[in-house]
Amino acid sequence: MAEPNSTPPPDSTAILQDILSTLQSLKRDHTELASSVDAINGRVNMLAGVKQAHDGIAHDATYPSPRINPQSPRLPPRGHHSRESVTSIDEQSNEGNGISLPQHASTSPPPPRRSSTTSKIILTSYPGQAGVDPLPMQWGAKDSATRGPVVVARNPSTIRRRNAIGAHGGSYSIYYALGVASGQVETDHKADFTNTEPAANIGPFPAWADPKKIVAMDPLGHLAPWLFKDLMKGPEGVEIRPSIAITRAHMKLPELEDSVRKGRLIPDGKICINETGELNVTKIAVEPVWYLPGVAERFGVDEGTLRRSLFEYTGGSYPELITRNDIKLFLPPIGGLTVYIFGDPAKMADPNSRLALRVHDECNGSDVFGSDICTCRPYLIFGIEEAVKEAQKGGSGVVIYFRKEGRALGEVTKYLVYNARKRGSDKASEYFKRTENIAGVKDMRFQALMPDILHWLGITKIDRMLSMSDMKHDAIVGQGIPIHERVPIPDEMIPEDGKVEIDAKVHAGYFTTGKVMTFEELEKVHGRAWEDVDH
């Protein structure tokens, strides 16, 4: 029996409601406080943008950092992986600004996210923002530890240490993104570089430490995982990948077997291995890494203008180009280049050894499929032959193959030009006009960056330049590398339909040892129509 003066037991439901009400009040207070902090951060970032504009960096201050609605839900705690939460503009830390979609209540644990390491979507970051600490990069420093690695990976251990904009793989980074999105690639995969070391020694050369001579590739790109292994294995586990790879291979082309039969190539068992014209070759693949101040200087523009143009005309794909003036490296979404070396690679940099060089820009239709509308494959074969001959004489032969399809206008534009030519009169006098009508320019290969690979290879002079291009010649000589002899493609190797191209180029300034046609003579040079087939 209860005591007459005892207190009745408390109502547990009322207590729980009171606690819930208090928690909701605290949550509202926290949301309002966080919103105020976000608004302050937005103002700071906007003012930083104004300062960058004053400093010559192309950040448009009329586009301030986004403001957060006080009622917007806050970011989920670190480690949360709900697929219903898609967040963050200008987000670089747990305390950063965030825009998130409402989360749906669920009593079951959320499924793991295979396609991302975090529920936050990081669009851009600003100088001084919490949590972002790019690894130091002193482009052109002689000591590799002082220079620092190129870091652009986005895996969890590296994303806040990135000191470059863009992604590895150039245009192939899109396929990596598809792999991640489809769950076929784990973003935390660590590459195993066992036995991947360069198959030949290149450099180092003085140009590697000259920030004016190499601005479009990383001079240490072939050695990065080994030079910076301590960073990769240390507590941070920074992901550092090569942007250059060096291997050895055999090359076999049908024209080279014909060259042996006709006596233009002589098998020696070392460079030209056998009677089929099979060749020994050292190959180097290079992905572009742009040092933006150097690229801007090379083109005679200010860095801010370059950054803004790159940002705007890649569809706004790289916001950091205009918001991170402290990050000077950009890995552009374009193709790179391949170097083919015949003979001893050490001979390239030997001033006492002769060098034959062909710089070739990609032409898939001719190089691979043998289209006769241009001289690309014949000139490439001629360049390989002459490079091999020079190497067999004790010198060095080099062919450099750039991915600049259709004069860097692309294959679609190229084929549209072909249509316009073949549906018209296809005269040499109108060769460039067709391209300009469609693309607004006759050539976008921009050879100003091309000589970087020559500096990296240690090339200080060219004895035989297997190219007629005035733009390539001027770019190389302008970088202080003399060319002693220029060698045009032999007349007998020019396809019948390719005469329109070569005659128009010679008239426009290409080198020749023959005749330069007048404009009236160019009008008489016609290409074959689609229906013109010899039987």
Side-chain angles (χ1 to χ4, degrees):
M1 186 172 181
E3 295 291 336
N5 296 328
S6 63
T7 304
D11 186 346
S12 59
T13 301
I15 293 175
L16 289 175
Q17 288 178 343
D18 185 61
I19 292 173
L20 179 61
S21 177
T22 302
L23 287 175
Q24 289 175 338
S25 177
L26 289 172
K27 183 178 179 179
R28 284 193 297 271
D29 292 343
H30 174 75
T31 300
E32 292 173 2
L33 177 61
S35 179
S36 298
V37 172
D38 288 336
I40 293 171
N41 282 340
R43 289 295 300 166
V44 170
N45 289 334
M46 184 179 69
L47 292 173
V50 172
K51 182 180 185 300
Q52 289 173 17
H54 289 166
D55 291 342
I57 302 301
H59 176 84
D60 192 344
T62 62
Y63 294 90
S65 301
R67 305 299 177 82
I68 309 303
N69 188 310
Q71 301 305 316
S72 295
R74 298 303 302 152
L75 293 173
R78 188 181 185 114
H80 183 72
H81 295 297
S82 170
R83 291 182 182 273
E84 284 74 31
S85 177
V86 181
T87 65
S88 182
I89 291 179
D90 300 345
E91 175 69 51
Q92 285 292 344
S93 69
N94 284 338
E95 296 77 23
N97 298 335
I99 297 178
S100 59
L101 300 177
Q103 301 181 41
H104 303 288
S106 175
T107 57
S108 60
R113 289 182 53 142
R114 292 178 53 84
S115 61
S116 178
T117 59
T118 175
S119 59
K120 303 168 191 173
I121 300 176
I122 299 173
L123 297 185
T124 186
S125 56
Y126 293 84
Q129 190 167 358
V132 179
D133 184 22
L135 283 169
M137 165 56 63
Q138 188 176 325
W139 193 261
K142 292 183 179 180
D143 176 63
S144 61
T146 303
R147 207 297 298 264
V150 174
V151 179
V152 76
R154 299 185 64 88
N155 60 324
S157 65
T158 305
I159 191 166
R160 300 183 189 280
R161 306 309 309 276
R162 299 166 81 237
N163 60 14
I165 303 162
H168 283 292
S171 56
Y172 292 100
S173 62
I174 299 299
Y175 291 101
Y176 182 84
L178 288 176
V180 172
S182 62
Q184 299 181 53
V185 178
E186 295 289 351
T187 56
D188 58 355
H189 171 74
K190 294 287 187 180
D192 181 356
F193 294 113
T194 303
N195 290 333
T196 65
E197 296 87 352
N201 294 323
I202 303 292
F205 300 111
W208 290 17
D210 189 334
K212 292 184 180 294
K213 286 189 175 180
I214 298 181
V215 301
M217 58 181 290
D218 177 11
L220 307 181
H222 60 311
L223 302 172
W226 300 278
L227 288 175
F228 305 106
K229 60 183 179 181
D230 290 343
L231 274 172
M232 298 176 68
K233 294 180 179 179
E236 291 183 285
V238 176
E239 181 75 6
I240 298 172
R241 303 178 194 172
S243 59
I244 302 173
I246 305 174
T247 189
R248 297 172 60 189
H250 294 157
M251 175 186 290
K252 192 170 183 178
L253 297 168
E255 290 93 337
L256 298 181
E257 185 173 0
D258 184 62
S259 298
V260 171
R261 282 199 306 267
K262 293 181 178 178
R264 293 198 303 270
L265 279 184
I266 308 297
D268 60 359
K270 295 181 180 179
I271 300 172
C272 183
I273 303 172
N274 51 41
E275 298 293 329
T276 67
E278 191 173 4
L279 305 176
N280 262 328
V281 63
T282 300
K283 302 196 299 184
I284 305 174
V286 181
E287 292 178 0
V289 177
W290 288 5
Y291 175 58
L292 292 172
V295 173
E297 183 178 356
R298 193 77 65 87
F299 281 91
V301 300
D302 64 88
E303 185 185 342
T305 298
L306 173 66
R307 284 173 174 266
R308 181 164 190 151
S309 186
L310 289 171
F311 168 71
E312 291 180 345
Y313 292 96
T314 55
S317 297
Y318 303 95
E320 287 174 318
L321 285 168
I322 56 170
T323 61
R324 289 302 300 263
N325 65 311
D326 59 321
I327 294 181
K328 300 297 184 181
L329 299 183
F330 177 46
L331 278 61
I334 60 175
L337 63 93
T338 310
V339 181
Y340 297 85
I341 304 169
F342 303 96
D344 183 358
K347 296 290 185 69
M348 292 183 297
D350 184 354
N352 298 314
S353 295
R354 287 175 56 83
L355 170 70
L357 172 71
R358 166 75 182 161
V359 176
H360 189 94
D361 292 324
E362 178 182 29
C363 177
N364 183 66
S366 177
D367 295 342
V368 179
F369 295 100
S371 171
D372 68 347
I373 199 171
C374 60
T375 61
C376 295
R377 183 178 175 96
Y379 215 158
L380 178 60
I381 297 298
F382 177 66
I384 292 172
E385 283 187 6
E386 295 301 304
V388 170
K389 291 177 184 178
E390 201 64 66
Q392 288 179 322
K393 294 175 185 176
S396 181
V398 178
V399 174
I400 304 176
Y401 194 90
F402 281 86
R403 288 350 184 262
K404 296 179 179 178
E405 178 65 61
R407 298 187 216 138
L409 294 167
E411 209 165 32
V412 169
T413 295
K414 183 179 183 177
Y415 286 9
L416 293 174
V417 172
Y418 286 171
N419 285 347
R421 285 174 55 186
K422 296 305 181 182
R423 288 189 175 115
S425 55
D426 195 16
K427 297 185 292 186
S429 58
E430 298 181 357
Y431 176 77
F432 289 112
K433 180 180 178 181
R434 298 300 192 191
T435 304
E436 290 174 324
N437 286 346
I438 295 170
V441 63
K442 68 180 182 182
D443 197 318
M444 283 208 304
R445 284 175 287 182
F446 297 124
Q447 302 295 353
L449 300 178
M450 176 265 294
D452 283 33
I453 185 62
L454 305 182
H455 289 310
W456 185 78
L457 293 169
I459 293 173
T460 56
K461 51 84 181 173
I462 299 167
D463 296 280
R464 302 186 76 227
M465 180 70 179
L466 306 164
S467 171
M468 300 165 68
S469 169
D470 53 331
M471 291 178 288
K472 293 175 184 175
H473 171 275
D474 293 349
I476 292 171
V477 173
Q479 279 290 301
I481 302 174
I483 297 174
H484 299 319
E485 180 187 5
R486 302 170 72 181
V487 185
I489 183 173
D491 288 342
E492 62 270 19
M493 295 186 75
I494 300 174
E496 184 64 28
D497 208 29
K499 291 180 179 178
V500 170
E501 172 219 8
I502 203 68
D503 288 341
K505 287 182 175 180
V506 168
H507 182 268
Y510 268 43
F511 171 78
T512 183
T513 54
K515 178 183 177 181
V516 179
M517 291 186 175
T518 64
F519 186 79
E520 290 72 21
E521 290 172 322
L522 286 181
E523 289 191 314
K524 298 177 183 178
V525 179
H526 291 254
R528 295 192 306 173
W530 283 324
E531 293 77 17
D532 293 343
V533 180
D534 295 329
H535 295 283

